Amino acid sequence: AQEPFGSQDLRCQILHCSAIRMVLAMQRRGLRAVLARARKYGTSLPIPKTPAGSEEIFHSQMMLPKYSLSNKKWFFLFLACNAGAYGGHYFYLRFLMPANPPNPPRDPNQVRPEKHMHAVDDE
């Protein structure tokens, strides 16, 4: 299954030609129009301008988060929630969930069926 001489060269020429066509089409339509069609997200609202004199950087250390927990408080809350969840689960299993009654004892004098009720009929 050898390729005829020059078929690889022909493929390269075709790819090169199609790449040139694509570049020329982008130039004709305008690169901006092609890229705008590819990315259609953002906002249609006007973007506000920063007021004059606001070039000073306001870093995040100046303003603490409104709801912030230290590690000690967070882990205490986390462990308390887990203990409550597991404790509630086992409380329900032990005290609230009804237990199934035991099976009644079998009667040894009961007549057994000749054929099992779920047996496949091979007749």
Side-chain angles (χ1 to χ4, degrees), residues 4-27:
F5 180 72
S7 64
Q8 183 71 23
D9 191 38
L10 181 62
R11 282 191 210 136
C12 289
Q13 286 178 356
I14 292 171
L15 288 175
H16 182 69
C17 186
S18 63
I20 290 175
R21 274 196 224 128
M22 187 174 70
V23 169
L24 290 175
M26 288 173 88
Q27 284 179 346

mmCIF file of all heavy atoms in Angstrom, residues 4-27:
data_model
loop_
_atom_site.group_PDB
_atom_site.id
_atom_site.type_symbol
_atom_site.label_atom_id
_atom_site.label_comp_id
_atom_site.label_asym_id
_atom_site.label_seq_id
_atom_site.Cartn_x
_atom_site.Cartn_y
_atom_site.Cartn_z
ATOM 1 N N PRO A 4 1.448 6.796 -4.269
ATOM 2 C CA PRO A 4 2.159 7.239 -5.480
ATOM 3 C C PRO A 4 3.008 8.467 -5.166
ATOM 4 O O PRO A 4 2.717 9.224 -4.259
ATOM 5 C CB PRO A 4 1.039 7.564 -6.466
ATOM 6 C CG PRO A 4 -0.206 7.605 -5.674
ATOM 7 C CD PRO A 4 0.023 6.869 -4.403
ATOM 8 N N PHE A 5 4.060 8.616 -5.908
ATOM 9 C CA PHE A 5 4.993 9.702 -5.669
ATOM 10 C C PHE A 5 4.281 11.041 -5.813
ATOM 11 O O PHE A 5 3.568 11.287 -6.766
ATOM 12 C CB PHE A 5 6.155 9.623 -6.678
ATOM 13 C CG PHE A 5 7.164 10.713 -6.487
ATOM 14 C CD1 PHE A 5 8.017 10.683 -5.399
ATOM 15 C CD2 PHE A 5 7.233 11.769 -7.362
ATOM 16 C CE1 PHE A 5 8.940 11.678 -5.215
ATOM 17 C CE2 PHE A 5 8.160 12.764 -7.173
ATOM 18 C CZ PHE A 5 9.016 12.732 -6.099
ATOM 19 N N GLY A 6 4.453 11.890 -4.811
ATOM 20 C CA GLY A 6 3.894 13.232 -4.900
ATOM 21 C C GLY A 6 2.543 13.390 -4.241
ATOM 22 O O GLY A 6 2.020 14.490 -4.174
ATOM 23 N N SER A 7 1.894 12.284 -3.751
ATOM 24 C CA SER A 7 0.575 12.446 -3.156
ATOM 25 C C SER A 7 0.668 13.180 -1.822
ATOM 26 O O SER A 7 -0.213 13.952 -1.469
ATOM 27 C CB SER A 7 -0.106 11.089 -2.971
ATOM 28 O OG SER A 7 0.633 10.309 -2.054
ATOM 29 N N GLN A 8 1.756 12.942 -1.064
ATOM 30 C CA GLN A 8 1.961 13.664 0.204
ATOM 31 C C GLN A 8 2.168 15.144 -0.098
ATOM 32 O O GLN A 8 1.648 16.010 0.592
ATOM 33 C CB GLN A 8 3.175 13.078 0.937
ATOM 34 C CG GLN A 8 3.441 13.706 2.283
ATOM 35 C CD GLN A 8 2.402 13.334 3.325
ATOM 36 O OE1 GLN A 8 1.744 12.322 3.214
ATOM 37 N NE2 GLN A 8 2.245 14.181 4.312
ATOM 38 N N ASP A 9 2.925 15.437 -1.135
ATOM 39 C CA ASP A 9 3.176 16.817 -1.526
ATOM 40 C C ASP A 9 1.879 17.494 -1.958
ATOM 41 O O ASP A 9 1.646 18.661 -1.658
ATOM 42 C CB ASP A 9 4.206 16.829 -2.661
ATOM 43 C CG ASP A 9 4.716 18.224 -2.942
ATOM 44 O OD1 ASP A 9 4.896 18.971 -1.960
ATOM 45 O OD2 ASP A 9 4.902 18.551 -4.120
ATOM 46 N N LEU A 10 1.012 16.754 -2.623
ATOM 47 C CA LEU A 10 -0.269 17.302 -3.074
ATOM 48 C C LEU A 10 -1.146 17.651 -1.878
ATOM 49 O O LEU A 10 -1.797 18.693 -1.855
ATOM 50 C CB LEU A 10 -0.972 16.284 -3.982
ATOM 51 C CG LEU A 10 -2.313 16.724 -4.555
ATOM 52 C CD1 LEU A 10 -2.135 17.946 -5.439
ATOM 53 C CD2 LEU A 10 -2.950 15.590 -5.332
ATOM 54 N N ARG A 11 -1.156 16.775 -0.842
ATOM 55 C CA ARG A 11 -1.944 17.060 0.373
ATOM 56 C C ARG A 11 -1.452 18.347 1.029
ATOM 57 O O ARG A 11 -2.240 19.161 1.471
ATOM 58 C CB ARG A 11 -1.832 15.900 1.363
ATOM 59 C CG ARG A 11 -2.680 14.749 1.025
ATOM 60 C CD ARG A 11 -2.715 13.777 2.184
ATOM 61 N NE ARG A 11 -2.907 12.439 1.647
ATOM 62 C CZ ARG A 11 -2.270 11.359 2.028
ATOM 63 N NH1 ARG A 11 -1.385 11.422 2.981
ATOM 64 N NH2 ARG A 11 -2.506 10.195 1.480
ATOM 65 N N CYS A 12 -0.137 18.512 1.117
ATOM 66 C CA CYS A 12 0.415 19.725 1.724
ATOM 67 C C CYS A 12 0.013 20.961 0.938
ATOM 68 O O CYS A 12 -0.317 21.995 1.513
ATOM 69 C CB CYS A 12 1.938 19.634 1.812
ATOM 70 S SG CYS A 12 2.500 18.434 3.038
ATOM 71 N N GLN A 13 0.014 20.860 -0.361
ATOM 72 C CA GLN A 13 -0.378 21.999 -1.193
ATOM 73 C C GLN A 13 -1.859 22.335 -0.973
ATOM 74 O O GLN A 13 -2.234 23.503 -0.889
ATOM 75 C CB GLN A 13 -0.121 21.694 -2.665
ATOM 76 C CG GLN A 13 1.326 21.726 -3.045
ATOM 77 C CD GLN A 13 1.532 21.362 -4.497
ATOM 78 O OE1 GLN A 13 0.586 21.022 -5.205
ATOM 79 N NE2 GLN A 13 2.787 21.432 -4.946
ATOM 80 N N ILE A 14 -2.698 21.305 -0.869
ATOM 81 C CA ILE A 14 -4.132 21.540 -0.654
ATOM 82 C C ILE A 14 -4.363 22.195 0.705
ATOM 83 O O ILE A 14 -5.122 23.160 0.827
ATOM 84 C CB ILE A 14 -4.922 20.223 -0.790
ATOM 85 C CG1 ILE A 14 -4.893 19.744 -2.238
ATOM 86 C CG2 ILE A 14 -6.351 20.395 -0.294
ATOM 87 C CD1 ILE A 14 -5.468 18.355 -2.427
ATOM 88 N N LEU A 15 -3.695 21.678 1.760
ATOM 89 C CA LEU A 15 -3.839 22.266 3.088
ATOM 90 C C LEU A 15 -3.331 23.700 3.110
ATOM 91 O O LEU A 15 -3.942 24.582 3.710
ATOM 92 C CB LEU A 15 -3.101 21.422 4.125
ATOM 93 C CG LEU A 15 -3.740 20.075 4.470
ATOM 94 C CD1 LEU A 15 -2.838 19.306 5.418
ATOM 95 C CD2 LEU A 15 -5.102 20.279 5.095
ATOM 96 N N HIS A 16 -2.200 23.942 2.468
ATOM 97 C CA HIS A 16 -1.631 25.283 2.424
ATOM 98 C C HIS A 16 -2.585 26.236 1.702
ATOM 99 O O HIS A 16 -2.803 27.361 2.132
ATOM 100 C CB HIS A 16 -0.269 25.234 1.736
ATOM 101 C CG HIS A 16 0.426 26.556 1.686
ATOM 102 N ND1 HIS A 16 0.919 27.153 2.822
ATOM 103 C CD2 HIS A 16 0.684 27.388 0.646
ATOM 104 C CE1 HIS A 16 1.459 28.311 2.469
ATOM 105 N NE2 HIS A 16 1.340 28.471 1.161
ATOM 106 N N CYS A 17 -3.167 25.756 0.612
ATOM 107 C CA CYS A 17 -4.097 26.571 -0.171
ATOM 108 C C CYS A 17 -5.345 26.896 0.649
ATOM 109 O O CYS A 17 -5.835 28.025 0.631
ATOM 110 C CB CYS A 17 -4.458 25.822 -1.448
ATOM 111 S SG CYS A 17 -5.458 26.799 -2.573
ATOM 112 N N SER A 18 -5.877 25.905 1.399
ATOM 113 C CA SER A 18 -7.068 26.175 2.198
ATOM 114 C C SER A 18 -6.753 27.121 3.345
ATOM 115 O O SER A 18 -7.577 27.946 3.731
ATOM 116 C CB SER A 18 -7.663 24.869 2.725
ATOM 117 O OG SER A 18 -6.756 24.232 3.592
ATOM 118 N N ALA A 19 -5.535 27.036 3.902
ATOM 119 C CA ALA A 19 -5.143 27.965 4.960
ATOM 120 C C ALA A 19 -5.049 29.385 4.420
ATOM 121 O O ALA A 19 -5.480 30.346 5.070
ATOM 122 C CB ALA A 19 -3.822 27.536 5.579
ATOM 123 N N ILE A 20 -4.508 29.523 3.229
ATOM 124 C CA ILE A 20 -4.416 30.852 2.613
ATOM 125 C C ILE A 20 -5.818 31.393 2.350
ATOM 126 O O ILE A 20 -6.097 32.574 2.592
ATOM 127 C CB ILE A 20 -3.575 30.787 1.312
ATOM 128 C CG1 ILE A 20 -2.109 30.533 1.664
ATOM 129 C CG2 ILE A 20 -3.721 32.071 0.512
ATOM 130 C CD1 ILE A 20 -1.222 30.322 0.468
ATOM 131 N N ARG A 21 -6.733 30.538 1.857
ATOM 132 C CA ARG A 21 -8.119 30.978 1.618
ATOM 133 C C ARG A 21 -8.768 31.466 2.908
ATOM 134 O O ARG A 21 -9.497 32.448 2.918
ATOM 135 C CB ARG A 21 -8.932 29.829 1.036
ATOM 136 C CG ARG A 21 -8.822 29.729 -0.438
ATOM 137 C CD ARG A 21 -9.925 28.846 -0.989
ATOM 138 N NE ARG A 21 -9.328 27.965 -1.961
ATOM 139 C CZ ARG A 21 -9.438 26.655 -1.993
ATOM 140 N NH1 ARG A 21 -10.164 26.039 -1.107
ATOM 141 N NH2 ARG A 21 -8.843 25.938 -2.915
ATOM 142 N N MET A 22 -8.516 30.744 4.016
ATOM 143 C CA MET A 22 -9.110 31.129 5.289
ATOM 144 C C MET A 22 -8.571 32.484 5.747
ATOM 145 O O MET A 22 -9.319 33.343 6.217
ATOM 146 C CB MET A 22 -8.834 30.064 6.346
ATOM 147 C CG MET A 22 -9.548 30.302 7.648
ATOM 148 S SD MET A 22 -9.368 28.965 8.825
ATOM 149 C CE MET A 22 -7.665 29.132 9.274
ATOM 150 N N VAL A 23 -7.272 32.706 5.598
ATOM 151 C CA VAL A 23 -6.679 33.984 5.994
ATOM 152 C C VAL A 23 -7.242 35.116 5.142
ATOM 153 O O VAL A 23 -7.588 36.193 5.655
ATOM 154 C CB VAL A 23 -5.139 33.915 5.901
ATOM 155 C CG1 VAL A 23 -4.516 35.282 6.041
ATOM 156 C CG2 VAL A 23 -4.595 32.978 6.946
ATOM 157 N N LEU A 24 -7.364 34.891 3.853
ATOM 158 C CA LEU A 24 -7.915 35.926 2.975
ATOM 159 C C LEU A 24 -9.382 36.221 3.314
ATOM 160 O O LEU A 24 -9.809 37.384 3.293
ATOM 161 C CB LEU A 24 -7.790 35.503 1.505
ATOM 162 C CG LEU A 24 -6.362 35.478 0.951
ATOM 163 C CD1 LEU A 24 -6.348 34.937 -0.468
ATOM 164 C CD2 LEU A 24 -5.747 36.861 1.013
ATOM 165 N N ALA A 25 -10.145 35.184 3.660
ATOM 166 C CA ALA A 25 -11.548 35.403 4.037
ATOM 167 C C ALA A 25 -11.634 36.205 5.329
ATOM 168 O O ALA A 25 -12.498 37.077 5.479
ATOM 169 C CB ALA A 25 -12.246 34.062 4.198
ATOM 170 N N MET A 26 -10.735 35.928 6.268
ATOM 171 C CA MET A 26 -10.741 36.685 7.522
ATOM 172 C C MET A 26 -10.380 38.147 7.263
ATOM 173 O O MET A 26 -10.937 39.048 7.887
ATOM 174 C CB MET A 26 -9.758 36.066 8.522
ATOM 175 C CG MET A 26 -10.236 34.750 9.096
ATOM 176 S SD MET A 26 -8.983 33.967 10.094
ATOM 177 C CE MET A 26 -9.330 34.702 11.657
ATOM 178 N N GLN A 27 -9.472 38.376 6.332
ATOM 179 C CA GLN A 27 -9.117 39.752 6.019
ATOM 180 C C GLN A 27 -10.281 40.460 5.341
ATOM 181 O O GLN A 27 -10.534 41.630 5.574
ATOM 182 C CB GLN A 27 -7.884 39.793 5.127
ATOM 183 C CG GLN A 27 -6.605 39.515 5.872
ATOM 184 C CD GLN A 27 -5.405 39.542 4.951
ATOM 185 O OE1 GLN A 27 -5.530 39.508 3.729
ATOM 186 N NE2 GLN A 27 -4.215 39.581 5.548
#
